[in-house]
Amino acid sequence: MHCFPCFSSPKNKKSSTTNETNDNNEPRPSDRRRTEETEETEQSEGTSLKIFTFRELATATKNFRQECLLGEGGFGRVYKGTLKSTGQVVAVKQLDKHGLHGNKEFQAEVLSLGQLDHPNLVKLIGYCADGDQRLLVYDYISGGSLQDHLHEPKPDCEPMDWTTRMQIAYGAAQGLDYLHDKANPPVIYRDLKASNILLDDDFSPKLSDFGLHKLGPGTGDKMMALSSRVMGTYGYSAPEYTRGGNLTLKSDVYSFGVVLLELITGRRALDTTRPNDEQNLVSWAQPIFRDPKKYPDMADPVLKNKLSERGLNQAVAIASMCVQEEAAARPLISDVMVALSFLSMPTEDGIPTAVPILSFKDKSMSIALSRHDSNLVSPPPELATEDEKSSTSSGEESSLDSEKESVSKNKYKKKHEEEDSSMESDDGSDSNSEHEKDQDSPPPKPIDEKNQAQSLKIKYRYSWEDIDVSDERLSSKSSQKSNDESTSSRYDSDRDQEEKEKEEEEEEEEEHSHIEHIHSSKTDDDQSVYFDNDDDSGDDNGASLHRIKSEVEIDSIKE
Ligand SMILES: Nc1ncnc2c1ncn2[C@@H]1O[C@H](COP(=O)(O)OP(=O)(O)OP(=O)(O)O)[C@@H](O)[C@H]1O
């Protein structure tokens, strides 16, 4: 049993002022007038967002009283409140004034935030823009943050069990996948960390604080110097972001990997109370990633063997993929999400009976769901030592995957081009053709629970691709160039192998003609662009990472 009430009481993290008589928060005459005129809260046109008066929110939070203060973050103070009109309990975020925007600008940003809706995101229910006051009103999430539960548990609270941890990771991955893959345009979270993952009463995670960077300090008319808010949070920020401000969807994947490591180890992303070489969680974990035998030593001691070694190995493997130095080598969050969906399966004894076998090779991650008693796990190729690489390739999972995964980036580049041209219809709708293809294919075949030798194989392929996009939301320009240069040199070296790969491709097609493609949960939209070019470069060095194709197959494990 976990005890959420431990974290339900309001807390004051940074503020020491009492707001009862805070002049700044005094309702303005115009607010009073509006409240008197309109009994009901206005609805923002075309959205479900409510427009609150300052007075309504002042009433809800007892005039922003200290006892209602939940805490203070990089964007301002957050108060717990109860809306008088509906009785709904809300969290009211009062944005700092130095990030102040004009009314129109603020509303445009808020309206786009209001479109985001997913069970694993904290729901924005409304806002207030009155005079120089900017407030956001969210659903109140009663269970506290992951940070509270993992790192600051109350003495009478039991530690979170393994399955719960994996379920939290899975839910957080779903929320992030929504922002990256489903939101249009995609949203880079920027500041994913344990304190921004709020937990509901049933431990369902909700990501908070997303999409606020345009409203907070560091933006707007009164631009501040590069603030800690803009630079993310140390210990969670991807190296490319910390070094040069290069921000992509893969920076979020890095931060996610750090959170997953926290869940696995029970350690903080940054813990200055530990010895020097253990203070930064990722730096501490990197050498261990190379030695799967040491994975059990990484597990949070409070879990005391109440976890499956296989599950642990797989979770560590996923985390190690996510926190790789090279952004391009990190998996997409959608792939991480699929892997975690298996690891988070609840079982009676808390030990999953089916765990995915992951393998990582040539920018490709395969996941096989197996009921075999295999503890095998392979770290990403970038992390494996030469010895490990060769031993992995002779292991069981290698027999599952090696034949398919030896195909190089160039070959997939070619395939992708073919797919692109065949998918583009006259009206430009490419998803329909795939949909039609799906309708023609045989219906999904369920996994046979009794067939121990059956596996579910999900395969994602990546390829380097020349691309020309300019969505600034996908990347900042500053240090993209170095990324592009390194990718294009790799791309060149691949060309030399073209003939060999052609042969491999033909062989592979023959080998797998018998495999029944039962289901594909991915659409062509998944062939997304994850890096954009340096617009200023004007050359064709900009190579981008594409996911070419995902497949889900049921196949027999070869013994
Ligand atoms: N919707 C919400 N429901 C319940 N509590 C919330 C909600 N949003 C924020 N809080 C709490 O309010 C406090 C301040 O949150 P906020 O997100 O502003 O800052 P933070 O996450 O602590 O720091 P940072 O701004 O650096 O991310 C935290 O304790 C947070 O858990």
Side-chain angles (χ1 to χ4, degrees), residues 257-318:
V258 179
V259 172
L260 183 55
L261 269 180
E262 289 185 277
L263 284 162
I264 295 167
T265 63
R267 290 172 176 245
R268 291 170 188 269
L270 197 70
D271 189 347
T272 49
T273 64
R274 289 186 182 272
N276 276 350
D277 56 345
E278 294 187 22
Q279 290 189 358
N280 182 298
L281 180 56
V282 174
S283 310
W284 168 78
Q286 291 288 6
I288 308 177
F289 288 153
R290 294 189 203 100
D291 187 358
K293 280 192 230 93
K294 290 190 182 154
Y295 288 5
D297 302 337
M298 292 181 90
D300 190 338
V302 301
L303 291 168
K304 294 191 186 98
N305 300 332
K306 282 192 215 141
L307 73 164
S308 104
E309 195 181 328
R310 286 177 297 168
L312 171 69
N313 287 346
Q314 300 297 349
V316 174
I318 296 167

Side-chain angles (χ1 to χ4, degrees), residues 11 13 73-74 78 91 93 139-141 193 196 198 209 229:
K11 60 182 179 176
K13 280 167 60 180
V78 182
K93 183 167 285 206
D139 271 341
Y140 175 74
I141 311 299
K193 55 185 175 180
N196 277 343
L198 304 182
D209 253 9
R229 155 63 53 196

Side-chain angles (χ1 to χ4, degrees), residues 63 161 235 266:
N63 206 16
D161 62 44

